[in-house]
Amino acid sequence: MKFAYRFSNLLGAVYRQGNLNFSKDGNAVISPVGNRISVFDLKNNTSETLPFSTTKNITCVGLSPDGSLAIVVDEDGAAVLVSLITRAILHHFHFHKPVSSIRFSPDGRKFIVTKENVALMYHAPGKKREFNAFVLDKSYYGPYDETTCIDWTDDSKCFVVGSKDMSTWVFGAERWANLIYYSLGGHKDIIVGCFFEKDSLDLYTVSQDGTLCVWESDTELDGLILKKSQDKPKIPRQGEEEEEEEGEERDKVEGEEGEVIRGKVETAKEREKKKNVRYKMMSKHFFNKEGDFNNLTAAAYHKPNHILVTGFASGIFHLHELPEFNLIHSLSISDQRIASVAINSSGDWIGFGCSRMGQLLVWEWQSESYVFKQQGHFNNMASLAYSPDGQYIVTGGDDSKVKVWNTNTGLCFVTFTEHTSSVTNVTFTSSGFVIVSASLDGTVRAFDLHRYRNFRTFTSPWPAQFSSLAVDVSGELVSAGAQDSFEIFLWSMQTGRLLEVLAGHEGPVSCLCFSPVQSVLASCSWDRTVRLWDMLDSWQTKETLPLTSDGLAVTYRADGQELAVATLNGEISFWNPHTATQNGSVAGRHDLQTGRKETDKITAKQSAKGLIPLSVLAGGQSKFVCIYNIKEQMLMKKFEISCNLSFDAMEEFLDRRKMTEFGSLALVDEGAGDGDGVSISLPGVRRGDMSSRHFRPEIRVSSLRFSPTGRSWAATTTEGLLVYSLDGSLVFDPYDLDLDVTPASIRKQLRLQEWASAIVLAFRLNEKALKQEVLEKVPHEQIPVVCGSLPDIYVEKLLGFIATCLEKSGHLQFYMTWAQNLLMLHGQKLKNRSILPTLQALQKSIQRHFDDLSKLCDFNIYNIRYAVALSKQRGLKRAAEEETEDQEEEDEELSEEMSEASLEDAEMML
């Protein structure tokens, strides 16, 4: 149970490349992130990464019309059929060539795949079990260059394919007599999008140079005639021929005039039916009339609303109404190329993906507001840290940004951009509301999570690049190590003043760590030493621990009684900080083998260097992360964090197919383009020039952390921020099991209302569903009695289980009562045990419910205030109406009295 971790979520990256898709209801975005798929729920503001991965980066995703199936294709053409309901892989297939686009037909019976200059039609996988889920139906040839886009008619009778040869081809999905294929020209650049009009064969085509062509068909969809199968002529017998001739003569005699007229009508119909489908260009429009925009890179069309969305390389997008080409909206969302555009089913939300910046945006065009806006680190992530309650993760990257992620939703909720160079280290203070970050720009900054501002900036008296960082338990002392001057700087958090500069190391300071129980700072350096500094005794060196190689990382155990140090030769050594003696060591060099780069000519074992182990988790320039048992000093679990062959150093052996007599093919630069790797432009070269270069990112783990709750750990890798959580459902881990401990005996104790013994038996069997069933059957008024009679050994187990259940259960008061009674009755005994992870998990669950309920209560308060204000306004309006009515009645009575008085005066005068 202790090491039953599984992949939970991918944070730090929201989009890399490929096409975006909306779910059937339009409330979720399906985004390809490297070789994984992430689903972002826009209604509940959560994210989920599907538990599968491909062998290379994903380039296109096709979604079935009912939203239950998805076909995912990577760069090599390897396809995976995935169920979006069960999140399971149903089938593997390989197209053997890179696939440019994939699209299901609206009726869900077929799907089209385009690779090179061919469009392949397959039967869509059904709901029944099939031996082969991908059955090829037809192959369509026509374009002379690679195909780029696909679209279907609403009735799935025809489809259109755009190509890089500047042509658009309309094909029939069935064997139509009047439409086999039709080629459309009119463009001077690559076709980016081609779209059918709703319930029509009319077309819109968009090219990369910003040109829109409107095509009108002379035939409706109902006018397509199915081609009759040409059967072999049947040779009739002699008797049949005589009977047929007699029948024909009888018909002619019976209605000779009618037969002639009927023959003329049928001939005209046949001529009309044999007329082939033809297209005519009705109009031609240009997006970049003034030359303000770069190339058009993405397009999407919503048929019911007749809205065309186009994205450009400059980060600008346009909304036009077709066919009049009226501009509805124009906005710049980024300064980088928009790689993908998608529209949801209702047409209200538009999704944009920017691959270079790693941005994913969802824009509501009617209200002109963002529904969703996320961006990961577009460079490598260097470090991470958990908040004390395990609810948040802060990451620092080479893009000089500090981002804070919510582990429950998987989304980033604040980004700090004050640093001007790479962020090398980040950490939380013990309060959990302050983040401290160190950077190569020579500053250490403190950020407030209440007001989201940088309230402290610590600097050194002379220029220094900070590579390590630590904050003491009280949150008062901030220390940072320099990689160029070999010194450690100490500041006060309260005043922001520099307290001391610690000198003594003869190499760059690679890592700092404060003791959790004493005022002692441990510093690790490349000079092959670990120094312990006493913060209370004039900051003097307390001990110096010699190492066998350059020190890379140092960390304390939670109780401060042991120190773990990682060195460059891949060894983790354990020390007693009080006696300065070594307790043991673990050799992780062979466990964390570095993969072979494409340009390497040596074996993987010879290049296994730069390992960065932290605590009992160890990782580095490798695709593996290992968990070691400190007591036994042995490997317990080995995780392969990625199987993405798009990264370098993934192979353990040399690929001799890429080796030639002139060297490795990996050294050949294929020029600019949207292919593998990250573009590196030469100085003074414009974007898109052929002199731009590419490199393949190398797989590595830069930082590892255990969650304070102990139920998860996170790693910053080349792929992003990977989170692994405990999976209790897959492991049967009983405690003190006996023959009498069975589900039947537990339920018997429940019927006898022996609540305490039933709970003890359930925890001995240790099945989650059974434990929850027993716990929820205990009457509310019996909870204090049961808590008081529980054995001490089961109190901590019950408290941890309550913290787990409270996170997802709706019985908030019930589980809170359990936790309150356990802490009140057994708090004194629990103080002597290390139950901090359990309490932090409990706090995390309570905080999550508090956040949800506070949002709901605030929403209700605003609604009640609005209703009260509205009723007051209506009351005032009614009062005003009543006053006007009373005034009118008084005026009428007064006028009547005056009229009567005037009549009396007139009578008196008469």
Side-chain angles (χ1 to χ4, degrees):
M1 184 74 180
K2 190 176 181 181
F3 299 103
Y5 289 96
R6 63 176 176 85
F7 174 76
S8 173
N9 207 351
L10 172 64
L11 286 68
V14 292
Y15 175 75
R16 291 279 170 81
Q17 64 176 6
N19 61 310
L20 297 174
N21 286 276
F22 276 93
S23 60
K24 184 184 178 183
D25 57 2
N27 295 331
V29 180
I30 299 170
S31 170
V33 185
N35 65 335
R36 299 181 184 272
I37 295 290
S38 292
V39 180
F40 298 93
D41 190 343
L42 305 178
K43 288 288 186 182
N44 300 318
N45 203 32
T46 59
S47 72
E48 178 192 6
T49 304
L50 302 186
F52 70 89
S53 58
T54 57
T55 54
K56 284 205 172 180
N57 288 335
I58 295 169
T59 55
C60 53
V61 179
L63 205 64
S64 63
D66 59 357
S68 61
L69 295 176
I71 298 176
V72 181
V73 188
D74 67 7
E75 293 170 346
D76 284 346
V80 176
L81 177 65
V82 182
S83 170
L84 295 179
I85 300 173
T86 62
R87 308 295 201 247
I89 295 178
L90 304 179
H91 188 69
H92 289 269
F93 192 77
H94 209 299
F95 292 107
H96 302 292
K97 295 286 183 180
V99 173
S100 57
S101 55
I102 183 168
R103 192 76 178 267
F104 274 87
S105 62
D107 60 6
R109 298 174 59 188
K110 304 284 181 67
F111 68 89
I112 294 288
V113 173
T114 59
K115 64 175 185 178
E116 294 183 330
N117 64 333
V118 187
L120 304 174
M121 180 186 289
Y122 287 85
H123 292 284
K127 295 181 180 179
K128 298 180 180 179
R129 290 189 176 184
E130 298 169 318
F131 178 73
N132 185 9
F134 290 67
V135 179
L136 181 63
D137 185 19
K138 300 182 185 68
S139 299
Y140 296 87
Y141 294 84
Y144 293 97
D145 204 343
E146 292 182 15
T147 50
T148 56
C149 50
I150 316 169
D151 193 36
W152 285 84
T153 56
D154 289 336
D155 56 1
S156 306
K157 289 183 177 179
C158 301
F159 65 93
V160 60
V161 175
S163 172
K164 286 186 178 180
D165 64 0
M166 302 174 288
S167 66
T168 309
W169 294 74
V170 183
F171 295 103
E174 303 291 340
R175 298 185 182 275
W176 306 116
N178 51 348
L179 177 61
I180 302 173
Y181 65 88
Y182 200 96
S183 178
L184 302 172
H187 287 281
K188 298 180 181 179
D189 209 337
I190 296 171
I191 305 297
V192 175
C194 48
F195 312 101
F196 280 109
E197 187 54 271
K198 182 177 174 60
D199 298 326
S200 172
L201 281 173
D202 297 346
L203 265 175
Y204 303 108
T205 55
V206 183
S207 62
Q208 190 172 308
D209 59 354
T211 305
L212 169 70
C213 293
V214 182
W215 304 89
E216 185 181 10
S217 171
D218 63 351
T219 307
E220 296 295 330
L221 285 172
D222 297 337
L224 295 174
I225 309 301
L226 195 63
K227 192 174 184 180
K228 296 180 181 178
S229 59
Q230 296 180 354
D231 299 331
K232 292 182 179 180
K234 183 181 177 182
I235 301 174
R237 297 176 184 175
Q238 186 176 359
E240 291 177 356
E241 285 180 0
E242 293 175 357
E243 289 178 1
E244 286 177 3
E245 289 175 2
E246 289 177 2
E248 289 175 2
E249 290 177 0
R250 196 182 306 116
D251 290 340
K252 287 181 181 179
V253 171
E254 287 176 358
E256 191 171 353
E257 292 180 4
E259 197 274 338
V260 172
I261 296 169
R262 188 166 58 251
K264 287 182 180 178
V265 172
E266 285 176 3
T267 306
K269 281 185 179 180
E270 285 176 1
R271 287 177 183 174
E272 189 177 349
K273 288 179 181 178
K274 287 181 180 179
K275 184 180 178 183
N276 290 333
V277 175
R278 294 187 180 276
Y279 279 92
K280 178 183 178 183
M281 185 188 292
M282 299 302 296
S283 58
K284 198 170 187 178
H285 307 281
F286 301 93
F287 290 93
N288 50 354
K289 293 179 181 178
E290 301 175 0
D292 294 336
F293 310 112
N294 295 325
N295 289 338
L296 191 149
T297 55
Y301 181 64
H302 190 256
K303 296 181 182 179
N305 293 345
H306 308 285
I307 292 175
L308 176 68
V309 185
T310 50
F312 294 83
S314 58
I316 297 173
F317 77 90
H318 286 249
L319 262 74
H320 284 87
E321 185 181 7
L322 297 182
E324 292 83 9
F325 199 67
N326 298 326
L327 181 64
I328 300 173
H329 193 68
S330 177
L331 185 72
S332 176
I333 59 172
S334 175
D335 58 352
Q336 297 292 332
R337 172 179 177 271
I338 297 176
S340 179
V341 177
I343 310 176
N344 72 340
S345 54
S346 63
D348 298 329
W349 294 347
I350 306 169
F352 300 97
C354 301
S355 57
R356 287 187 181 176
M357 299 293 289
Q359 283 182 330
L360 177 61
L361 310 169
V362 179
W363 175 263
E364 188 174 17
W365 63 274
Q366 292 177 341
S367 64
E368 298 185 6
S369 61
Y370 284 111
V371 177
F372 184 84
K373 187 177 182 181
Q374 288 286 305
Q375 178 180 352
H377 292 278
F378 55 85
N379 279 341
N380 290 331
M381 281 188 285
S383 61
L384 76 102
Y386 270 98
S387 63
D389 60 357
Q391 191 169 2
Y392 304 121
I393 297 177
V394 59
T395 56
D398 291 343
D399 55 359
S400 73
K401 292 181 181 179
V402 176
K403 289 179 173 288
V404 188
W405 306 83
N406 191 320
T407 56
N408 295 323
T409 63
L411 302 179
C412 173
F413 63 91
V414 62
T415 302
F416 299 107
T417 59
E418 280 77 10
H419 284 294
T420 57
S421 186
S422 298
V423 179
T424 55
N425 216 318
V426 289
T427 186
F428 273 93
T429 60
S430 56
S431 65
F433 300 113
V434 176
I435 293 170
V436 186
S437 61
S439 172
L440 294 180
D441 62 4
T443 62
V444 174
R445 297 178 183 269
F447 303 97
D448 183 7
L449 283 185
H450 285 301
R451 299 182 181 179
Y452 300 132
R453 64 188 180 95
N454 175 209
F455 70 93
R456 285 281 185 276
T457 301
F458 309 102
T459 57
S460 57
W462 48 86
Q465 290 185 316
F466 298 119
S467 58
S468 54
L469 176 71
V471 181
D472 72 336
V473 181
S474 64
E476 172 58 27
L477 284 177
V478 178
S479 65
Q483 68 177 15
D484 45 6
S485 62
F486 314 153
E487 294 166 328
I488 301 170
F489 298 86
L490 283 170
W491 297 274
S492 169
M493 179 71 80
Q494 293 292 331
T495 62
R497 298 182 61 181
L498 181 67
L499 300 177
E500 187 66 27
V501 178
L502 306 180
H505 280 295
E506 299 173 0
V509 181
S510 55
C511 188
L512 296 173
C513 185
F514 274 98
S515 170
V517 294
Q518 291 178 326
S519 295
V520 176
L521 174 66
S523 62
C524 184
S525 173
W526 290 10
D527 61 2
R528 301 191 176 190
T529 62
V530 171
R531 291 177 179 265
L532 304 180
W533 309 83
D534 193 346
M535 298 290 102
L536 300 179
D537 189 11
S538 303
W539 296 294
Q540 305 246 341
T541 304
K542 186 179 175 183
E543 294 287 353
T544 300
L545 310 179
L547 303 176
T548 57
S549 183
D550 296 359
L552 297 179
V554 61
T555 183
Y556 272 96
R557 206 167 67 185
D559 58 0
Q561 302 302 314
E562 196 168 30
L563 197 67
V565 184
T567 52
L568 188 64
N569 58 1
E571 186 176 275
I572 309 172
S573 55
F574 304 101
W575 299 77
N576 187 329
H578 305 296
T579 61
T581 56
Q582 185 173 350
N583 298 334
S585 64
V586 172
R589 180 185 180 90
H590 300 293
D591 297 328
L592 301 171
Q593 289 181 9
T594 304
R596 293 288 294 273
K597 295 183 184 180
E598 289 188 337
T599 55
D600 285 346
K601 297 182 179 66
I602 55 175
T603 63
K605 288 183 180 180
Q606 288 174 330
S607 64
K609 57 186 178 181
L611 304 178
I612 309 177
L614 292 172
S615 185
V616 293
L617 279 173
Q621 292 180 353
S622 165
K623 62 180 179 179
F624 296 110
V625 171
C626 297
I627 294 183
Y628 292 97
N629 188 323
I630 301 177
K631 186 178 179 181
E632 302 292 337
Q633 297 176 11
M634 61 180 292
L635 177 67
M636 297 296 296
K637 183 75 175 178
K638 192 174 182 179
F639 298 93
E640 185 178 5
I641 59 169
S642 178
C643 60
N644 190 356
L645 296 179
S646 297
F647 293 128
D648 205 356
M650 286 292 295
E651 300 282 357
E652 295 183 17
F653 303 100
L654 185 66
D655 189 357
R656 300 190 182 276
R657 292 174 296 179
K658 294 185 178 181
M659 295 300 295
T660 64
E661 56 182 331
F662 305 105
S664 174
L665 291 176
L667 296 172
V668 179
D669 191 2
E670 297 179 356
D674 299 327
D676 300 345
V678 182
S679 62
I680 311 175
S681 297
L682 290 173
V685 175
R686 292 179 300 174
R687 184 169 54 193
D689 198 280
M690 288 302 291
S691 58
S692 65
R693 301 165 293 162
H694 287 75
F695 79 97
R696 290 179 66 190
E698 182 181 343
I699 188 68
R700 67 188 298 264
V701 179
S702 56
S703 183
L704 290 164
R705 288 290 185 276
F706 265 114
S707 170
T709 61
R711 298 195 60 81
S712 62
W713 59 269
T716 53
T717 67
T718 313
E719 278 196 318
L721 178 60
L722 303 177
V723 180
Y724 285 76
S725 301
L726 274 177
D727 184 18
S729 60
L730 300 179
V731 180
F732 176 63
D733 185 21
Y735 174 78
D736 194 15
L737 192 61
D738 198 356
L739 291 175
D740 298 331
V741 182
T742 60
S745 62
I746 295 170
R747 292 189 173 94
K748 182 181 178 182
Q749 294 295 323
L750 284 178
R751 287 194 298 270
L752 297 174
Q753 296 186 358
E754 297 289 341
W755 313 115
S757 61
I759 290 173
V760 170
L761 289 175
F763 273 86
R764 287 175 65 184
L765 192 60
N766 208 11
E767 283 191 6
K768 183 181 177 182
L770 195 58
K771 289 191 290 185
Q772 189 168 355
E773 177 189 345
V774 171
L775 211 60
E776 292 181 356
K777 283 191 176 180
V778 177
H780 187 270
E781 63 275 3
Q782 293 291 325
I783 292 176
V785 181
V786 176
C787 289
S789 60
L790 272 178
D792 294 341
I793 195 170
Y794 293 100
V795 172
E796 187 179 346
K797 294 179 178 294
L798 180 57
L799 196 61
F801 181 72
I802 288 169
T804 307
C805 291
L806 187 60
E807 190 173 358
K808 297 181 180 179
S809 176
H811 305 298
L812 186 57
Q813 184 185 1
F814 181 75
Y815 284 109
M816 289 284 287
T817 308
W818 273 105
Q820 182 183 6
N821 282 280
L822 285 173
L823 293 174
M824 290 289 289
L825 295 171
H826 301 274
Q828 199 64 33
K829 298 176 183 176
L830 292 174
K831 274 185 180 180
N832 302 325
R833 302 180 191 174
S834 57
I835 63 161
L836 187 60
T838 305
L839 293 178
Q840 286 171 336
L842 188 63
Q843 182 188 356
K844 178 182 176 182
S845 303
I846 295 171
Q847 185 66 35
R848 181 178 180 181
H849 282 289
F850 174 78
D851 293 340
D852 294 341
L853 288 175
S854 60
K855 290 178 184 178
L856 182 63
C857 292
D858 290 341
F859 181 72
N860 290 338
I861 287 170
Y862 297 144
N863 281 340
I864 291 169
R865 287 178 180 173
Y866 174 74
V868 170
L870 194 64
S871 62
K872 285 182 179 179
Q873 189 177 3
R874 288 182 177 177
L876 292 172
K877 190 176 180 181
R878 287 177 184 173
E881 290 177 355
E882 290 176 358
E883 286 181 4
T884 53
E885 289 177 0
D886 295 341
Q887 188 67 32
E888 289 176 358
E889 289 177 0
E890 290 177 0
D891 292 343
E892 288 178 359
E893 291 176 358
L894 187 61
S895 60
E896 289 177 359
E897 290 176 358
M898 289 179 65
S899 61
E900 290 177 359
S902 60
L903 286 173
E904 289 177 358
D905 292 341
E907 289 176 357
M908 290 289 293
M909 291 178 67
L910 290 172

